[in-house]
Amino acid sequence: MENYFKEFLTGQAITLQQMTSSDLEAFVKIESEKRSLLLANDEIPFPNTFEDHASFFKNISGKKEEFIFGIFEKSTNELVGSCGVYAINWQNSTCFVGISIGEQWQGKGLGTDAMKTLIHFIFNYMAINKVKLQVFSFNKGAIRSYEKCGFTNEGILRNEIFRFGQFHDVLLFGLLREEWNHIG
Protein backbone atom coordinates (compact mmCIF):
# COMPACT_ATOMS: atom_id res chain seq x y z
CA MET A 1 0.00 0.00 0.00
CA GLU A 2 2.86 2.39 0.77
CA ASN A 3 3.94 2.07 -2.87
CA TYR A 4 0.57 3.51 -3.97
CA PHE A 5 1.23 6.66 -1.94
CA LYS A 6 4.60 7.12 -3.66
CA GLU A 7 3.27 6.41 -7.15
CA PHE A 8 -0.01 8.35 -6.92
CA LEU A 9 -0.03 10.71 -9.94
CA THR A 10 3.77 10.55 -10.11
CA GLY A 11 5.81 9.37 -13.07
CA GLN A 12 9.54 9.16 -13.68
CA ALA A 13 9.96 12.82 -14.68
CA ILE A 14 6.47 14.30 -14.26
CA THR A 15 3.62 14.67 -11.83
CA LEU A 16 -0.04 15.01 -12.70
CA GLN A 17 -1.63 17.80 -10.69
CA GLN A 18 -4.72 19.92 -10.62
CA MET A 19 -4.00 23.17 -12.45
CA THR A 20 -4.61 26.46 -10.65
CA SER A 21 -5.30 29.96 -11.89
CA SER A 22 -1.55 30.66 -11.84
CA ASP A 23 -1.16 27.99 -14.57
CA LEU A 24 -3.72 29.56 -16.94
CA GLU A 25 -1.22 31.62 -18.95
CA ALA A 26 1.11 28.64 -19.53
CA PHE A 27 -1.91 26.42 -20.39
CA VAL A 28 -3.16 28.93 -22.98
CA LYS A 29 0.33 29.21 -24.49
CA ILE A 30 0.64 25.42 -24.90
CA GLU A 31 -2.88 24.96 -26.27
CA SER A 32 -2.35 27.82 -28.75
CA GLU A 33 0.84 26.39 -30.29
CA LYS A 34 0.61 25.33 -33.93
CA ARG A 35 1.43 21.69 -33.17
CA SER A 36 -1.37 21.56 -30.58
CA LEU A 37 -3.84 23.05 -33.03
CA LEU A 38 -2.88 20.65 -35.83
CA LEU A 39 -2.23 17.41 -33.94
CA ALA A 40 -4.58 17.31 -30.95
CA ASN A 41 -7.98 18.41 -32.20
CA ASP A 42 -10.15 17.34 -35.12
CA GLU A 43 -11.94 20.68 -35.37
CA ILE A 44 -10.96 23.39 -37.83
CA PRO A 45 -7.57 24.49 -36.47
CA PHE A 46 -8.62 28.05 -35.70
CA PRO A 47 -6.91 29.36 -32.55
CA ASN A 48 -9.19 29.71 -29.56
CA THR A 49 -9.29 33.04 -27.81
CA PHE A 50 -7.84 33.55 -24.36
CA GLU A 51 -11.42 33.74 -23.08
CA ASP A 52 -12.24 30.36 -24.70
CA HIS A 53 -9.29 28.76 -22.93
CA ALA A 54 -10.09 30.54 -19.66
CA SER A 55 -13.69 29.29 -19.80
CA PHE A 56 -12.53 25.69 -20.38
CA PHE A 57 -9.95 26.06 -17.62
CA LYS A 58 -12.51 27.39 -15.11
CA ASN A 59 -14.81 24.43 -15.77
CA ILE A 60 -12.19 21.81 -14.84
CA SER A 61 -13.50 20.01 -11.78
CA GLY A 62 -13.08 16.68 -10.06
CA LYS A 63 -16.85 16.63 -9.59
CA LYS A 64 -17.57 15.94 -13.26
CA GLU A 65 -17.39 12.92 -15.52
CA GLU A 66 -14.03 13.96 -16.94
CA PHE A 67 -10.74 14.50 -15.22
CA ILE A 68 -8.17 16.95 -16.57
CA PHE A 69 -4.67 17.11 -15.11
CA GLY A 70 -1.79 19.47 -15.64
CA ILE A 71 1.46 17.71 -16.53
CA PHE A 72 4.26 19.22 -14.47
CA GLU A 73 7.96 18.52 -14.99
CA LYS A 74 9.24 17.28 -11.62
CA SER A 75 12.53 19.15 -11.29
CA THR A 76 11.10 22.59 -12.16
CA ASN A 77 7.39 22.08 -11.40
CA GLU A 78 6.76 23.78 -14.75
CA LEU A 79 3.53 23.07 -16.63
CA VAL A 80 4.49 21.18 -19.82
CA GLY A 81 1.05 20.03 -20.96
CA SER A 82 -2.23 18.50 -19.95
CA CYS A 83 -3.95 15.15 -20.15
CA GLY A 84 -7.30 13.80 -19.22
CA VAL A 85 -9.92 11.11 -18.99
CA TYR A 86 -13.24 11.77 -20.72
CA ALA A 87 -16.29 10.10 -22.29
CA ILE A 88 -16.44 7.68 -19.39
CA ASN A 89 -18.95 4.89 -19.96
CA TRP A 90 -19.52 3.34 -16.53
CA GLN A 91 -21.92 0.69 -17.85
CA ASN A 92 -19.33 -0.74 -20.25
CA SER A 93 -16.28 0.26 -18.19
CA THR A 94 -14.55 2.28 -20.92
CA CYS A 95 -13.13 5.75 -21.27
CA PHE A 96 -11.12 7.88 -23.66
CA VAL A 97 -7.87 9.65 -22.89
CA GLY A 98 -6.16 12.61 -24.48
CA ILE A 99 -2.90 14.46 -24.05
CA SER A 100 -1.26 17.67 -25.17
CA ILE A 101 2.42 18.47 -24.64
CA GLY A 102 4.02 21.84 -25.36
CA GLU A 103 6.34 21.95 -28.39
CA GLN A 104 9.54 22.56 -26.43
CA TRP A 105 8.95 19.41 -24.32
CA GLN A 106 7.99 17.04 -27.14
CA GLY A 107 10.32 14.19 -28.02
CA LYS A 108 11.75 13.96 -24.47
CA GLY A 109 9.59 11.14 -23.15
CA LEU A 110 7.45 13.38 -20.95
CA GLY A 111 4.27 12.56 -22.89
CA THR A 112 4.86 8.82 -22.61
CA ASP A 113 5.62 9.21 -18.90
CA ALA A 114 2.45 11.28 -18.41
CA MET A 115 0.29 8.78 -20.33
CA LYS A 116 1.65 5.85 -18.32
CA THR A 117 0.94 7.79 -15.12
CA LEU A 118 -2.59 8.60 -16.29
CA ILE A 119 -3.23 4.94 -17.20
CA HIS A 120 -1.92 3.89 -13.77
CA PHE A 121 -4.43 6.29 -12.21
CA ILE A 122 -7.30 4.94 -14.33
CA PHE A 123 -6.66 1.25 -13.69
CA ASN A 124 -5.92 1.69 -9.98
CA TYR A 125 -8.55 4.26 -8.98
CA MET A 126 -11.40 3.90 -11.48
CA ALA A 127 -13.50 0.84 -12.32
CA ILE A 128 -12.45 1.00 -15.98
CA ASN A 129 -11.57 -2.05 -18.07
CA LYS A 130 -10.64 -0.40 -21.38
CA VAL A 131 -8.89 2.87 -22.20
CA LYS A 132 -9.36 4.20 -25.73
CA LEU A 133 -7.89 6.99 -27.81
CA GLN A 134 -7.82 8.33 -31.32
CA VAL A 135 -4.74 9.64 -33.10
CA PHE A 136 -4.19 11.14 -36.54
CA SER A 137 -2.25 8.78 -38.83
CA PHE A 138 0.36 11.47 -39.55
CA ASN A 139 1.18 11.99 -35.85
CA LYS A 140 4.01 9.42 -35.81
CA GLY A 141 5.54 10.56 -32.52
CA ALA A 142 2.24 10.14 -30.66
CA ILE A 143 1.68 6.70 -32.23
CA ARG A 144 5.11 5.53 -31.03
CA SER A 145 4.38 6.89 -27.56
CA TYR A 146 1.01 5.13 -27.32
CA GLU A 147 2.55 1.85 -28.45
CA LYS A 148 5.21 2.22 -25.71
CA CYS A 149 2.35 2.56 -23.23
CA GLY A 150 0.88 -0.74 -24.42
CA PHE A 151 -1.94 0.49 -26.64
CA THR A 152 -2.98 -1.69 -29.59
CA ASN A 153 -4.18 -0.34 -32.93
CA GLU A 154 -7.77 -1.58 -33.14
CA GLY A 155 -8.95 0.08 -36.31
CA ILE A 156 -8.86 2.85 -38.85
CA LEU A 157 -11.38 5.54 -39.66
CA ARG A 158 -10.46 6.14 -43.29
CA ASN A 159 -10.16 9.72 -44.61
CA GLU A 160 -11.58 11.02 -41.31
CA ILE A 161 -9.60 14.25 -40.87
CA PHE A 162 -8.77 17.04 -43.33
CA ARG A 163 -5.33 18.56 -42.73
CA PHE A 164 -2.58 19.97 -44.92
CA GLY A 165 -4.84 20.04 -47.99
CA GLN A 166 -5.84 16.37 -47.95
CA PHE A 167 -7.77 13.74 -46.04
CA HIS A 168 -6.00 11.49 -43.52
CA ASP A 169 -6.96 8.45 -41.49
CA VAL A 170 -7.68 8.46 -37.77
CA LEU A 171 -6.33 5.44 -35.90
CA LEU A 172 -8.26 3.88 -33.02
CA PHE A 173 -6.18 2.49 -30.15
CA GLY A 174 -7.22 0.56 -27.06
CA LEU A 175 -5.66 -0.80 -23.90
CA LEU A 176 -7.34 -3.41 -21.69
CA ARG A 177 -6.84 -3.65 -17.94
CA GLU A 178 -5.47 -7.21 -18.29
CA GLU A 179 -2.88 -6.00 -20.83
CA TRP A 180 -1.81 -3.16 -18.54
CA ASN A 181 -1.43 -5.55 -15.61
CA HIS A 182 1.14 -7.45 -17.69
CA ILE A 183 3.16 -4.36 -18.70
CA GLY A 184 2.26 -1.73 -16.09
Side-chain angles (χ1 to χ4, degrees):
M1 185 158 176
E2 201 58 38
N3 200 35
Y4 281 97
F5 287 106
K6 277 193 264 181
E7 293 178 354
F8 185 68
L9 301 179
T10 302
Q12 297 294 314
I14 61 89
T15 58
L16 301 183
Q17 301 173 33
Q18 182 67 21
M19 292 180 281
T20 66
S21 57
S22 64
D23 301 312
L24 177 59
E25 191 173 311
F27 175 79
V28 170
K29 181 178 182 278
I30 290 167
E31 292 302 313
S32 299
E33 292 172 343
K34 289 178 190 174
R35 291 184 70 81
S36 294
L37 288 172
L38 297 173
L39 299 178
N41 194 324
D42 62 359
E43 297 173 353
I44 294 174
F46 186 81
N48 287 322
T49 65
F50 183 86
E51 290 75 20
D52 292 333
H53 286 298
S55 175
F56 171 81
F57 194 84
K58 287 179 185 171
N59 285 317
I60 295 172
S61 169
K63 304 287 187 219
K64 296 185 176 185
E65 288 296 306
E66 57 185 39
F67 304 93
I68 310 296
F69 295 97
I71 303 169
F72 292 83
E73 200 273 332
K74 266 188 191 177
S75 64
T76 63
N77 204 37
E78 185 175 3
L79 181 70
V80 300
S82 61
C83 62
V85 182
Y86 64 96
I88 299 169
N89 181 324
W90 293 113
Q91 178 179 338
N92 295 309
S93 190
T94 64
C95 69
F96 277 87
V97 292
I99 188 167
S100 179
I101 300 289
E103 285 182 48
Q104 75 182 82
W105 297 286
Q106 292 178 6
K108 299 178 185 208
L110 297 177
T112 301
D113 191 15
M115 184 57 71
K116 285 180 178 180
T117 305
L118 183 63
I119 294 165
H120 185 272
F121 170 77
I122 293 167
F123 286 144
N124 284 290
Y125 300 97
M126 299 174 71
I128 295 294
N129 187 54
K130 183 176 184 179
V131 178
K132 304 183 284 185
L133 62 84
Q134 296 183 356
V135 60
F136 305 147
S137 60
F138 53 82
N139 193 347
K140 303 298 184 195
I143 293 168
R144 280 190 305 277
S145 175
Y146 299 141
E147 289 171 341
K148 286 179 190 174
C149 292
F151 282 92
T152 299
N153 185 337
E154 295 186 336
I156 300 172
L157 299 173
R158 298 176 303 140
N159 288 333
E160 186 76 9
I161 179 103
F162 187 77
R163 284 285 189 280
F164 317 115
Q166 62 187 18
F167 287 95
H168 299 271
D169 298 338
V170 171
L171 308 180
L172 307 173
F173 278 77
L175 176 62
L176 300 175
R177 174 183 292 275
E178 64 192 47
E179 296 166 337
W180 177 255
N181 287 338
H182 291 292
I183 60 173

